[in-house]
Amino acid sequence: MIKPAILALEDGSVFHGVSIGADGETSGEVVFNTAMTGYQEILTDPSYSRQIVTLTYPHIGNTGINEEDVESHRIHAAGLVIRDLPRLVSNFRSVRALDEYLAAHGILGIADIDTRRLTRLLRDKGAQNGAIVAGVDAQGDDAVARALAAAKAFPGLKGMDLAREAGTREIHEWHDGEWQLSKGYADFRQRERPWHVVAYDFGTKHNIFRMLTSRGCRLTVVPPQTPASEVMAMNPDGVFLANGPGDPEPCDYAIRAIQEILATGTPVFGICLGHQLLALASGAKTIKMKQGHHGANHPVLDIDRGHVMITSQNHGFAVDEASLPANVRATHRSLFDHTLQGIELTDTPAFSFQGHPEASPGPHDVSPLFDRFVAMMEGRRQAA
């Protein structure tokens, strides 16, 4: 049964399509992602909390949904916008269709709209607050007015602390390694892991933890507001700062904790939101980007080596390179818009990267950063 859906943006733009998920209403910041694959990973990435994701690739859903390609325990995106939902699902791991998956999780989606027009609009005007109404809510003479009102009522992500919501509530251990065909995720419970890493979970993607575990890290995952004293009492070899959603500036609890951890000389590695928080803790500033970076094909320059890496990206805030203090140097820069992509502290073992070296989806050009973190912990142990 075909049900109507409406996507409305704060600038007054309206798109009419068909519902491919739950009925009802949702609002958030509308962004576009240029990845050709990985829609299941994108939907379950906590960094997309309070965001409506538009996928620029036209055919989404043709490989269905499986039980393994998830980056968290639930869908975090506020909604999904696509051009076409194929009727035929074909993949040996698929257990259900995309529209069934969205409906089961109470997530709204809209298809059969001109995503090229929408992407150009978002590219030119920047990320827009928007709303999707679907099913009964998309019917009636006032449906468009209600959708526009919901879009304009969304407060925007600037100043919004979402790490508290997306991160874990309890301290726990992590044991899964990377995925292997026909074997699934490796279980490291009985394997030797020489490096104890305490990981701040601000809304992490699971593949980050899998890649750290596969490199010999025994992970203790802690909530976003865990005090530094509690972390250091665990005697970690290193501290990891995960990705997550929202604006980094309101996360004053995390910034204070990171400052205290840096003072101990413990190796620190941050990704995405963790990168921004490390910069803020070091005295730099962050800015809200026009449309952000969302995709799996972003070229980034490794300044030290002069190499170009193709990276996976998902962020709407960035560190202002002009605000870096004297003890923080730039290590990576985007070749799309020249925004800062990586930093390193010169007076303590700490570094970070704005993109996603764990990919999922995307290329693995930046995965050696995990090895660098392990080498940093090994070097500090040998020097002790």
Side-chain angles (χ1 to χ4, degrees), residues 78 192 229 292 322 372:
E192 182 180 357
S229 58
R372 178 183 174 184

Side-chain angles (χ1 to χ4, degrees), residues 192-241:
E192 182 180 357
R193 288 173 284 169
W195 313 109
H196 181 210
V197 173
V198 175
Y200 273 97
D201 180 4
F202 302 115
T204 191
K205 291 175 64 181
H206 286 173
N207 208 46
I208 293 175
F209 290 168
R210 296 174 192 133
M211 294 186 78
L212 285 169
T213 300
S214 294
R215 285 161 172 77
C217 297
R218 178 171 59 86
L219 292 180
T220 301
V221 183
V222 300
Q225 295 175 276
T226 306
S229 58
E230 189 172 340
V231 168
M232 297 313 299
M234 299 176 188
N235 194 29
D237 295 297
V239 174
F240 175 73
L241 311 174

Side-chain angles (χ1 to χ4, degrees), residues 202 241-244 258 269-279 352-353:
F202 302 115
L241 311 174
N243 67 291
I258 295 167
F269 175 30
I271 288 177
C272 199
L273 181 68
H275 157 77
Q276 298 160 9
L277 292 172
L278 177 63
S352 59
F353 186 71

Side-chain angles (χ1 to χ4, degrees), residues 130-142:
I132 299 173
V133 293
V136 175
D137 288 50
Q139 299 174 359
D141 296 337
D142 64 340

